[in-house]
């Protein structure tokens, strides 16, 4: 962690994404189902899936009961708790160090992939904090392990303001963030190289719209070749999640007139806190149609529930089959 003293010397471009994913994996305890953060994410994913179906239904019916989560949050043995606290400190220190990066264009470009991944994680962390309020034990376990209140939001706002000076905050960005829409439709955009590093991870369950990885392009090409469009899309990610955090949480605020981010008016959630939104996707509409047509049917998510993933900290996402175009038969 010597780079914390010299953030400008750290190779954010080459190592930033790996650092973010490794830190978050350590917070999740590398997979046990009873990890407090993992239990909170499983709980949140299931509640949101059920709320999405219920909100789209045109008939009034009793929502299916929540499945009992697999065990209580893990016991805080001294050794295990010490390791989790070290992981939290490394995660926060890495994030805050990136927020303090010099304002040079090159430095910002190098840090964007790391920051985009971390802001995605922070967004679902805020979502989990809100959803677990109905379960005091789980909410307390989450906050003890890693709560949004421990983030230095003034640094986050400062980073976003410096980025906004280099990359304009467009009306499209603001509209997508306000409405919970993904930045691009699958046919209009391509995954960033770092997207493949978090595909299928439980905390990235809501990160992408359906079909985001269904591309005719070769996956190796998308993973390794960057263009000017890649750099522009990467700069939009932190701004997008910054706007969503500003619109949906009490931790950040955004002034559209001055195009300025600032810390929120309150650092704790309340009954007046705006509801965190999920990506509005075609999948949600399909789920709603299925449930409306069969109000007594038990809804099951199209992807495996996080609590049943065989690799524990993954939700398995099947790699899309590549489309093979066959040449027409020659005329005789």
């Amino acid at each position: 962690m010597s780079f914390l003293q010299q953030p400008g010397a750290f190779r954010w471009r080459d190592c930033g994404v790996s650092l973010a994913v490794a830190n978050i994996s350590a917070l999740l305890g590398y997979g046990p189902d009873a990890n407090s953060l993992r239990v909170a994410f499983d709980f949140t994913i299931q509640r949101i899936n059920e709320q999405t179906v219920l909100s789209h239904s045109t008939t009034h019916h009793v929502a299916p009961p929540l499945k009992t989560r697999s065990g209580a949050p893990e016991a805080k043995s001294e050794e295990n708790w010490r390791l989790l606290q070290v992981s939290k400190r490394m995660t926060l220190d890495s994030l805050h160090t990136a927020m303090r990066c010099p304002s040079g264009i090159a430095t910002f470009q190098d840090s964007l992939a790391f920051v985009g991944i971390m802001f995605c994680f922070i967004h679902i962390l805020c979502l989990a904090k809100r959803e677990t309020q109905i379960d005091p034990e789980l909410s307390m376990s989450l906050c003890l392990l890693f709560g949004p209140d421990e983030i230095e939001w003034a640094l986050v706002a400062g980073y976003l303001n410096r980025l906004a000076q280099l990359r304009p905050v467009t009306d499209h960005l603001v509209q997508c963030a306000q409405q919970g829409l993904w930045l691009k439709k699958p046919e209009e955009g391509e995954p960033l190289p770092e997207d493949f590093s978090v595909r299928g991870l439980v905390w990235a369950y809501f990160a992408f719209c359906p079909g985001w990885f269904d591309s005719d392009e070769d996956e190796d090409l998308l993973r390794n070749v960057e263009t000017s469009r890649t750099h522009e899309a990467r700069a939009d990610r932190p701004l997008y999640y910054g706007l969503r955090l500003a619109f949906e949480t009490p931790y950040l605020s955004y002034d559209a007139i001055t195009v300025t981010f600032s810390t929120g008016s309150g650092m704790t959630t309340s009954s007046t806190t705006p509801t965190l939104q999920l990506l509005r996707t075609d999948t949600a509409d399909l789920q709603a149609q299925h449930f409306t047509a069969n109000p007594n049917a038990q809804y099951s998510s199209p992807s495996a529930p996080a609590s049943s993933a065989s690799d524990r900290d993954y939700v398995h996402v099947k790699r899309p089959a590549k489309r093979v175009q066959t040449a027409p038969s020659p005329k005789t």
Side-chain angles (χ1 to χ4, degrees):
M1 299 295 286
S2 59
F3 74 91
L4 296 176
Q5 282 70 44
Q6 295 180 314
F10 181 67
R11 298 174 62 184
W12 293 100
R13 182 184 184 87
D14 299 323
C15 306
V17 173
S18 298
L19 176 65
V21 174
N23 283 341
I24 296 169
S25 297
L27 281 172
L28 286 162
Y30 300 106
D33 290 336
N35 173 273
S36 299
L37 196 58
R38 173 61 189 272
V39 173
F41 286 165
D42 284 352
F43 182 84
T44 299
I45 289 169
Q46 186 165 3
R47 272 185 55 82
I48 292 299
N49 280 339
E50 292 174 355
Q51 291 168 8
T52 301
V53 171
L54 188 60
S55 65
H56 283 75
S57 177
T58 57
T59 59
H60 297 284
H61 53 78
V62 178
L66 284 169
K67 296 178 182 178
T68 304
R69 63 173 185 260
S70 55
E74 60 191 347
K76 300 177 179 60
S77 65
E78 182 177 350
E79 179 66 15
N80 182 60
W81 186 245
R82 184 184 67 82
L83 291 174
L84 289 175
Q85 291 302 303
V86 170
S87 300
K88 176 175 71 173
R89 180 46 48 199
M90 291 180 65
T91 302
L92 287 171
D93 286 348
S94 300
L95 173 66
H96 297 155
T97 298
M99 298 297 96
R100 296 187 181 98
C101 276
S103 299
I105 295 178
T107 304
F108 256 95
Q109 286 181 340
D110 290 347
S111 67
L112 288 174
F114 169 84
V115 174
I117 295 292
M118 288 303 303
F119 282 8
C120 174
F121 170 74
I122 291 170
H123 181 260
I124 194 172
L125 183 68
C126 293
L127 186 67
K129 180 179 179 181
R130 182 174 182 85
E131 292 299 323
T132 56
Q133 287 182 345
I134 66 170
D135 187 326
E137 179 189 359
L138 182 54
S139 179
M140 179 63 69
S141 297
L142 173 64
C143 291
L144 287 175
L145 177 55
F146 192 169
D149 302 83
E150 299 181 79
I151 296 170
E152 294 187 27
W153 290 98
L155 289 178
V156 175
Y159 181 94
L160 289 168
N161 287 331
R162 286 181 288 158
L163 178 57
Q165 294 175 358
L166 301 174
R167 176 69 176 170
V169 180
T170 63
D171 292 339
H172 174 72
L173 267 177
V174 174
Q175 183 179 19
C176 287
Q178 284 179 327
Q179 299 180 11
L181 296 169
W182 187 233
L183 290 168
K184 296 282 187 180
K185 295 180 180 178
E187 63 272 15
E188 297 175 351
E190 296 175 344
L192 295 175
E194 55 267 26
D195 292 350
F196 295 96
S197 297
V198 303
R199 177 177 60 175
L201 295 178
V202 64
W203 53 268
Y205 189 94
F206 297 117
F208 309 109
C209 63
W212 185 240
F213 294 94
D214 298 346
S215 175
D216 291 331
E217 294 286 343
D218 182 75
E219 185 171 311
D220 291 333
L221 183 69
L222 293 174
R223 284 175 177 266
N224 299 293
V225 178
E226 298 191 3
T227 65
S228 58
R229 289 193 307 171
T230 306
H231 299 156
E232 292 171 357
R234 181 173 288 139
D236 285 340
R237 289 286 182 89
L239 291 173
Y240 170 73
Y241 279 112
L243 288 167
R244 293 201 67 172
L245 290 167
F247 295 145
E248 301 170 10
T249 77
Y251 302 107
L252 285 178
S253 298
Y254 175 71
D255 188 327
I257 298 177
T258 60
V259 193
T260 303
F261 291 88
S262 59
T263 54
S265 57
M267 299 306 290
T268 57
T269 55
S270 66
S271 58
T272 59
T273 301
T275 302
L276 288 163
Q277 301 182 62
L278 297 178
L279 289 176
R280 291 170 51 192
T281 64
D282 294 338
T283 298
D285 295 334
L286 290 174
Q287 294 169 358
Q289 292 172 10
H290 168 77
F291 204 88
T292 303
N294 302 278
N296 296 321
Q298 290 292 324
Y299 166 71
S300 59
S301 176
S303 58
S307 58
S308 65
S310 60
D311 283 348
R312 296 182 178 273
D313 59 341
Y314 285 83
V315 176
H316 287 288
V317 179
K318 184 178 180 181
R319 177 175 176 175
K322 294 184 178 180
R323 303 171 188 170
V324 179
Q325 296 182 349
T326 57
S329 303
K331 296 181 179 180
T332 57

